[in-house]
Amino acid sequence: MKKRTYSLTFLFLAWGLLAGAASPIQTSINTQLCEVVGSPYLAALISFATGTCFLALIVLVIDHTIKLDFAQIRHMPKWIWVGGMLGVVFVTANVLLLPVLGSAFTVVSLLFGQMIAALSVDHFGLFGVPKHAMNWPRAAGLGLMILGIILIHQF
């Protein structure tokens, strides 16, 4: 592997680890928000509203405009619109699960669901993703995740 490719891969891995670390922090904050506002759905709405404002600021800083081509929208696959709804399911599930399961068990249960979905998306090439067939090493990784979930739950 070339040094530049290795460095770029390392940077993306570090970014992924930091983004992953943000999840339990976000979940803890949103759970506290839920206690303050009295509703997991309102807490999720506030979380998405603040996230939307922050993302709009990022788009303005980087792209210098918020421009949407409505003609292009008509030609998009209909499933494109489900992404935001899935985000709502994920964030709201975090808020509802954390007080019951705790932070670590919430994270590993959601991560396991993500891994099952990711392996399925890869294996079948869903949503335009390049195919990566399910194989024994990937299945073994999933098995080790199950062992990790059991250990985290027990201890």
Side-chain angles (χ1 to χ4, degrees):
M1 182 181 288
K2 294 180 185 175
K3 184 171 173 91
R4 179 180 172 143
T5 304
Y6 179 77
S7 297
L8 190 58
T9 300
F10 179 78
L11 285 174
F12 279 117
L13 177 61
W15 185 12
L17 291 173
L18 288 173
S23 180
I25 295 168
Q26 177 195 26
T27 300
S28 300
I29 291 169
N30 286 344
T31 300
Q32 292 301 310
L33 179 59
C34 175
E35 288 183 18
V36 171
V37 299
S39 166
Y41 309 104
L42 181 56
L45 177 64
I46 292 168
S47 178
F48 273 95
T50 57
T52 299
C53 292
F54 183 60
L55 193 54
L57 179 64
I58 291 170
V59 170
L60 286 172
V61 167
I62 293 174
D63 294 341
H64 307 292
T65 184
I66 297 179
K67 180 173 58 172
L68 199 56
D69 183 358
F70 289 101
Q72 187 180 22
I73 290 174
R74 289 182 298 173
H75 303 294
M76 291 180 184
K78 302 301 181 229
W79 52 260
I80 291 270
W81 301 101
V82 176
M85 291 181 253
L86 292 173
V88 169
V89 170
F90 183 78
V91 169
T92 306
N94 273 290
V95 171
L96 291 169
L97 293 174
L98 186 130
V100 177
L101 301 179
S103 182
F105 198 48
T106 295
V107 168
V108 296
S109 65
L110 292 167
L111 183 60
F112 186 66
Q114 288 176 324
M115 189 54 63
I116 290 171
L119 288 169
S120 298
V121 167
D122 274 357
H123 182 76
F124 295 107
L126 302 174
F127 312 111
V129 172
K131 285 186 178 185
H132 297 279
M134 183 65 159
N135 55 31
W136 285 110
R138 286 177 165 225
L142 202 58
L144 289 172
M145 285 186 76
I146 293 170
L147 178 61
I149 290 168
I150 292 168
L151 290 171
I152 288 171
H153 180 63
Q154 293 298 317
F155 305 100

